[in-house]
Amino acid sequence: MEKREPKDLTNYDKRFEEDPSSFNDFQAMDYVRELKNQGRNDEAIEVGRTFLQVGEGLTGFINHYGYALYNKFINIDENQISEKEDLFFSIVDEIAALCKQEKYSPLEATINKAMKYIMNKKPVDYKKISDLLDKLDVQTLSVDPFINNAGKEYESKKEKWYRLKVRCSYELGDYAKCVEYANNAFAQPIKWHYNNLNWVKYYRASSLVQLKRYEEAENEFLSLGNRIPNVDSFEVLYDLYMNTGKEKEAYTNLVYKFFTSGYNVQHLSLYEKIQEMTHTGKNSEVAALADAFVYKIKEETGKDLTGASINDEYKDMNSSTLYDRFYNQLMENLDAYIERYEGKVVYYNKDKEFGSIYQDDDNLFFRQADYIYDEVVEKRDVVEYSVMKTFDAKKQRPTTKAILLKTLYEDINY
């Protein structure tokens, strides 16, 4: 393609000096556009501002004027922005006030640049981000994913808007709006990317907690599982149950987390919660072992031990040994802390290592991996177990499963 020669603007320049009000809409647009395209942004801005003052009925030049402002004041590196931050945001406001959200408009590019700048600052000013998002009409934003030159697909403009608006509403404490925006997002034909959908669900669920809509929040957190980076759903549900007077449910989740996590000195915060739980029961041996186990982890990792002590019989043991002893004692005394039930195994698939326990309404699902000890599982086994709420991904609804199982005896009718 041949390179387009710059247009000679001599006549426009002369006419502008003599009478800027003499330009019609096309001429004004052509003049500002050419100045901008030739890199004469300062002149394009001066001419555009003059047309705003004297050019009654002129509108075609506005987007080109906006892009000249964008080129000079917005599309610059962050160090330059920080040096003249007030000017930067005043230009953002000017572009937002003048330019419509349409094709060939600088509005979306301007808002995106401003949001990126704010998001890179610590702490993030979520009020500013929210105000910037309000300058866009979400209904007209595209739902088509962005695809780069390499063919890689990224979030659409509408997906990004909802992702950020939900986050901002939550961070600003506007929990009802957070839920509303999330619900609106779910109703859109959006193809979600990365972990965006799960984050929207997470902030919605967290807002539901603040709004005291606990059952909805619980179901949402159950559906999320552990799909949110750095967010442990067991911890979230533990806090939710403890704050709503459901200690048994909280402790059930806590013990199951302890059971599935195994021994790791990095899990100190989990072990401290378990330690607190043991002191709510009546078994002094389990509580003493919990105290000794936590004490030894702190000692071995150089943590503060002020005010802590352990029984003499445990002083020569390391945390690994104490873990084994504590684990066995805790599992033998689970009924002191959580609800325990008895039932019969009525189905078991040895290949897939899962089965079900008889119940009047709907049999209870279990996995062999959730047995407390290594056991050979057989149909007709009578087992002891606890029940934990979970989420059925296939049926997309909350459900329950049996956990922390152990065999009591085999029930055979001769």
Side-chain angles (χ1 to χ4, degrees):
M1 182 182 292
E2 292 185 14
K3 187 176 180 180
R4 181 175 176 271
E5 290 295 323
K7 186 173 184 176
D8 184 357
L9 299 179
T10 303
N11 289 335
Y12 278 158
D13 291 340
K14 182 178 179 182
R15 184 173 175 182
F16 182 78
E17 289 181 9
E18 293 175 352
D19 184 9
S21 65
S22 67
F23 281 72
N24 64 30
D25 196 46
F26 173 80
Q27 293 164 343
M29 178 198 69
D30 192 41
Y31 188 24
V32 175
R33 178 182 62 194
E34 287 298 326
L35 287 170
K36 183 251 307 174
N37 288 346
Q38 292 177 26
R40 297 162 63 181
N41 288 308
D42 287 340
E43 294 169 80
I45 292 168
E46 180 187 351
V47 170
R49 283 182 174 159
T50 302
F51 284 151
L52 287 173
Q53 294 173 354
V54 303
E56 185 176 351
L58 302 182
T59 59
F61 75 93
I62 288 177
N63 280 340
H64 299 291
Y65 166 65
Y67 263 116
L69 291 171
Y70 176 83
N71 293 338
K72 181 176 176 62
F73 298 106
I74 304 299
N75 195 26
I76 55 180
D77 65 48
E78 294 190 357
N79 289 332
Q80 291 175 290
I81 295 174
S82 62
E83 290 173 2
K84 296 182 179 180
E85 193 174 283
D86 289 343
L87 175 61
F88 173 82
F89 283 108
S90 71
I91 299 299
V92 170
D93 289 340
E94 183 178 359
I95 292 173
L98 289 172
C99 299
K100 295 179 181 179
Q101 192 171 312
E102 58 190 3
K103 195 173 183 179
Y104 307 122
S105 167
L107 177 61
E108 289 183 29
T110 298
I111 298 301
N112 286 334
K113 180 70 176 185
M115 288 195 297
K116 183 178 179 181
Y117 172 72
I118 296 169
M119 293 295 287
N120 286 337
K121 296 186 72 176
K122 296 294 182 280
V124 175
D125 188 337
Y126 287 101
K127 179 65 169 64
K128 272 191 174 181
I129 294 289
S130 184
D131 290 344
L132 286 167
L133 290 168
D134 288 340
K135 296 180 186 297
L136 298 174
D137 177 8
V138 65
Q139 297 307 318
T140 63
L141 291 175
S142 173
V143 295
D144 296 329
F146 172 75
I147 301 176
N148 67 10
N149 294 332
K152 188 172 182 180
E153 189 172 287
Y154 295 87
E155 65 183 350
S156 66
K157 295 175 180 178
K158 184 167 287 190
E159 179 183 358
K160 180 180 180 180
W161 192 94
Y162 275 112
R163 171 176 65 84
L164 290 174
K165 196 65 178 177
V166 167
R167 173 74 183 273
C168 288
S169 301
Y170 175 76
E171 297 290 353
L172 294 171
D174 196 347
Y175 304 117
K177 276 293 182 184
C178 179
V179 173
E180 180 182 337
Y181 286 127
N183 290 344
N184 288 340
F186 300 152
Q188 304 298 316
I190 294 173
K191 180 182 179 182
W192 295 93
H193 296 77
Y194 319 115
N195 215 21
N196 287 349
L197 177 59
N198 289 329
W199 275 114
V200 169
K201 289 181 177 180
Y202 170 76
Y203 288 117
R204 178 182 181 275
S206 298
S207 293
L208 288 170
V209 172
Q210 298 297 327
L211 296 169
K212 296 182 171 30
R213 292 163 60 178
Y214 298 119
E215 185 175 352
E216 292 176 77
E218 178 187 7
N219 291 338
E220 194 76 275
F221 283 126
L222 287 170
S223 72
L224 284 170
N226 281 322
R227 291 192 290 272
I228 300 292
N230 303 317
V231 175
D232 188 329
S233 65
F234 285 111
E235 292 282 342
V236 172
L237 287 167
Y238 172 80
D239 291 338
L240 174 60
Y241 293 142
M242 289 297 286
N243 290 325
T244 54
K246 297 180 178 180
E247 280 193 358
K248 293 287 188 181
E249 289 90 337
Y251 290 153
T252 299
N253 275 263
L254 184 63
V255 174
Y256 187 65
K257 175 67 173 176
F258 173 77
F259 165 75
T260 57
S261 297
Y263 169 72
N264 189 328
V265 295
Q266 301 301 317
H267 295 158
L268 178 59
S269 62
L270 168 65
Y271 300 147
E272 287 178 323
K273 285 187 175 69
I274 286 285
Q275 179 188 17
E276 291 175 13
M277 182 196 75
T278 62
H279 284 273
T280 67
K282 296 179 180 179
N283 192 306
S284 58
E285 182 180 0
V286 176
L289 276 165
D291 291 343
F293 173 50
V294 170
Y295 182 98
K296 281 296 181 177
I297 287 183
K298 289 182 176 180
E299 183 180 64
E300 292 165 6
T301 56
K303 298 290 192 301
D304 183 19
L305 288 168
T306 304
S309 63
I310 59 175
N311 293 349
D312 290 341
E313 62 181 297
Y314 305 127
K315 286 185 177 179
D316 294 331
M317 298 181 186
N318 59 30
S319 63
S320 178
T321 301
L322 282 166
Y323 170 82
D324 292 336
R325 291 191 59 173
F326 173 58
Y327 176 90
N328 289 326
Q329 283 299 310
L330 177 62
M331 294 305 163
E332 288 302 313
N333 293 277
L334 285 176
D335 58 352
Y337 312 102
I338 62 178
E339 296 288 353
R340 301 292 282 167
Y341 305 92
E342 287 187 16
K344 185 189 294 187
V345 174
V346 292
Y347 169 77
Y348 182 65
N349 186 316
K350 290 187 177 180
D351 293 329
K352 297 184 178 179
E353 298 186 334
F354 66 73
S356 57
I357 297 169
Y358 175 77
Q359 289 190 145
D360 289 335
D361 49 357
D362 191 14
N363 290 343
L364 188 63
F365 176 83
F366 71 87
R367 291 190 180 279
Q368 185 170 358
D370 286 332
Y371 270 72
I372 293 172
Y373 308 108
D374 271 341
E375 297 187 52
V376 176
V377 182
E378 299 286 352
K379 186 177 177 181
R380 292 186 295 273
D381 282 349
V382 174
V383 293
E384 183 181 271
Y385 61 93
S386 293
V387 176
M388 188 176 79
K389 290 184 178 180
T390 184
F391 191 81
D392 188 325
K394 285 186 177 180
K395 297 180 180 179
Q396 286 295 298
R397 62 177 177 82
T399 184
T400 54
K401 69 174 182 177
I403 59 169
L404 304 170
L405 300 97
K406 63 180 178 181
T407 302
L408 297 179
Y409 57 89
E410 186 178 11
D411 184 22
I412 300 177
N413 295 317
Y414 294 98

